[in-house]
């Protein structure tokens, strides 16, 4: 008889030394919206729910995107998620923020730029636990697809 091998852990790739593995994921979408319109939908917090359907409410201590802005986004009408804007580089069409839900933390770096084919390319790079990013990827793709179509009626 041989030695029995240890049982396989289904989520072994998530745990390393008793902590969640952190990974990086980038999602981009290109669409017909003008870059200035897309940036406005980032910059004005009251417009976030127009393109990010998973966000059902945004409350913050500023009305526009500024470094240090703090607030709470409500996801799916149920989950309040505190956030802090880390940086804003409007001239480059870039901004970043950190969201935290209990022990889980994500850092998101967004950007917009004109697309070589016309319209706008928008993207986000997210740093966080692998399992959260795998689940979040389709939702982020859907939201960015909506963002790059703002104001076009598409």
């Amino acid at each position: 008889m041989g030695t029995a091998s240890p049982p396989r852990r289904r989520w072994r790739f998530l745990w390393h030394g008793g902590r969640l593995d952190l990974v990086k994921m980038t999602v981009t979408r290109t669409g017909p919206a003008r870059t200035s319109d897309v940036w406005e939908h980032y910059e004005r917090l009251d417009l976030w729910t127009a393109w990010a359907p998973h966000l059902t409410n945004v409350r913050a201590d500023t009305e526009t995107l500024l470094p240090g802005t703090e607030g709470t986004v409500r996801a799916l009408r149920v989950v309040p998620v505190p956030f802090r804007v880390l940086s804003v580089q409007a001239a480059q069409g870039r901004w970043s923020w950190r969201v935290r839900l209990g022990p889980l933390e994500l850092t998101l770096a967004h950007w917009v730029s004109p697309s070589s084919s016309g319209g706008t390319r928008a993207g986000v790079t997210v740093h966080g636990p692998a399992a959260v990013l795998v689940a979040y990827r389709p939702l982020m793709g859907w939201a960015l697809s909506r963002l790059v179509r703002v104001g076009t009626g598409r």
Side-chain angles (χ1 to χ4, degrees):
M1 288 200 146
T3 309
S5 53
R8 294 182 72 192
R9 293 184 191 161
R10 293 181 71 164
W11 301 104
R12 181 175 34 160
F13 74 97
L14 297 176
W15 291 94
H16 181 74
R19 62 177 172 76
L20 285 173
D21 282 338
L22 300 179
V23 297
K24 177 172 74 170
M25 169 193 76
T26 298
V27 179
T28 61
R29 294 293 185 270
T30 301
R34 296 182 317 176
T35 302
S36 60
D37 291 341
V38 172
W39 180 255
E40 180 184 16
H41 277 71
Y42 271 148
E43 192 172 45
R44 289 186 40 202
L45 280 59
D46 64 319
L47 295 178
W48 287 6
T49 58
W51 62 270
H54 59 295
L55 301 181
T56 53
N57 188 282
V58 179
R59 291 184 179 214
D61 57 7
T62 64
E63 294 180 7
T64 59
L65 204 55
L66 297 170
T69 295
E70 293 185 344
T72 302
V73 292
R74 187 163 296 277
L76 307 172
R77 294 192 171 130
V78 178
V79 183
V81 182
F83 72 86
R84 178 178 175 79
V85 176
L86 303 174
S87 67
V88 178
Q89 299 164 323
Q92 290 81 33
R94 295 182 172 277
W95 70 283
S96 64
W97 62 324
R98 181 174 298 125
V99 298
R100 183 179 300 240
L101 182 60
L104 299 176
E105 181 177 285
L106 301 178
T107 302
L108 301 92
H110 294 265
W111 69 91
V112 298
S113 62
S115 168
S116 60
S117 59
T120 299
R121 181 173 176 87
V124 61
T125 298
V126 187
H127 296 262
V132 175
L133 272 52
V134 166
Y136 192 51
R137 184 181 195 95
L139 189 57
M140 197 68 250
W142 182 33
L144 287 175
S145 292
R146 292 169 53 101
L147 179 64
V148 295
R149 286 170 175 70
V150 296
T152 66
R154 295 184 187 179

